[in-house]
Amino acid sequence: QVQLVESGGGLVQAGDSLRLSCGASGRPFSSDAMAWFRQAPGKEREFVAVISWKGGYTNYANSVKGRFSISRDNAKNTVYLQMNSLKPEDTAVYYCAADVDRPVVPSTLSGLYDYWGQGTQVTVSS
């Protein structure tokens, strides 16, 4: 059974940091592009960050650029999202996702991702 499991969410204050993890199992994910998306209450799911299968390409939403960093450890089948200088507007459920098609340029479109985790809540208080 293919699974992506996120962890590391929680309640923090504005300016704090969190590191989210996404562990993959059930199939090898080392060749997949991996991404983080988030969804705030009443809003659509939005792209946050993506990393290519080798880790040489990353892309970020403008709203998190310079504050968030995505990385991966293929030996551990895990992708990370380091979130610094958190703001109340970062409050959302964060999801990791895998794109098995090995795109040359990993996508920011949620519809192109094949596997999803259940999400982890991040709440940032002001």
Side-chain angles (χ1 to χ4, degrees), residues 5 14 18 31 33 50 60 81 116:
V5 180
L18 277 176
S31 296
V50 65
Y60 298 90
L81 185 68
W116 290 84

Side-chain angles (χ1 to χ4, degrees), residues 7-9 18-22 36 79-81 83 94 120 122:
S7 61
L18 277 176
R19 189 175 83 154
L20 305 183
S21 299
C22 173
W36 289 93
V79 63
Y80 305 97
L81 185 68
M83 306 187 295
Y94 283 72
T120 185
V122 172

Side-chain angles (χ1 to χ4, degrees), residues 25-66:
S25 62
R27 62 176 291 279
F29 282 85
S30 58
S31 296
D32 300 344
M34 300 293 294
W36 289 93
F37 291 81
R38 68 186 181 186
Q39 188 166 18
K43 295 187 176 181
E44 294 187 354
R45 190 170 298 188
E46 65 174 0
F47 166 77
V48 176
V50 65
I51 187 167
S52 60
W53 67 285
K54 281 189 174 181
Y57 173 92
T58 59
N59 189 22
Y60 298 90
N62 286 335
S63 58
V64 307
K65 204 168 290 185

